[in-house]
Amino acid sequence: IHHLKPYELYRLFSSISPLMKIGLFIIDVRRDFLNILTSRLLSTLNRRYTSDFKNDAIQSMRRAYTVDELSWLLGQVPGLSSVTVKPLAPVYLMAEAGTK
């Protein structure tokens, strides 16, 4: 989901939430300083990666959502309830939301 801008993500979830029977479950990378730094370091040291791949890896981390940002965004979507977003391991976040 980190490839979608906030308004695109909101529109996506708003359009599919009426079709959900139970809710949604998301695992995605999460943005924090250590993840961005690690991504930059690993992509710089690996000579097999192309420059495009290296740049995309770093941009993906920069575009990723924080736990608070995704929690707020999902809380705005009509039809979703019981939104829970939390860290999952050092790099990922997990989101669950039920339907009303």
Side-chain angles (χ1 to χ4, degrees):
I1 62 171
H2 60 274
H3 294 284
L4 299 176
K5 292 179 173 62
Y7 73 90
E8 295 170 326
L9 192 56
Y10 174 81
R11 286 191 341 208
L12 172 69
F13 288 139
S14 292
S15 64
I16 64 172
S17 68
L19 307 173
M20 290 186 222
K21 295 189 189 282
I22 298 172
L24 63 91
F25 180 78
I26 301 166
I27 295 179
D28 197 19
V29 297
R30 70 181 160 104
R31 186 180 76 234
D32 71 14
F33 178 73
L34 188 56
N35 289 344
I36 293 170
L37 185 62
T38 303
S39 179
R40 179 173 276 296
L41 181 64
L42 292 177
S43 64
T44 301
L45 295 175
N46 194 331
R47 296 181 189 272
R48 292 180 289 167
Y49 293 166
T50 65
S51 61
D52 286 342
F53 184 84
K54 290 177 185 183
N55 290 334
D56 188 53
I58 295 163
Q59 288 303 320
S60 287
M61 278 298 171
R62 288 184 178 153
R63 283 191 301 259
Y65 292 93
T66 64
V67 170
D68 291 337
E69 289 169 342
L70 189 58
S71 182
W72 179 84
L73 185 66
L74 290 173
Q76 305 305 307
V77 176
L80 293 183
S81 64
S82 65
V83 174
T84 305
V85 181
K86 58 187 175 185
L88 179 67
V91 177
Y92 300 101
L93 60 77
M94 180 183 73
E96 295 177 279
T99 57
K100 293 180 182 176

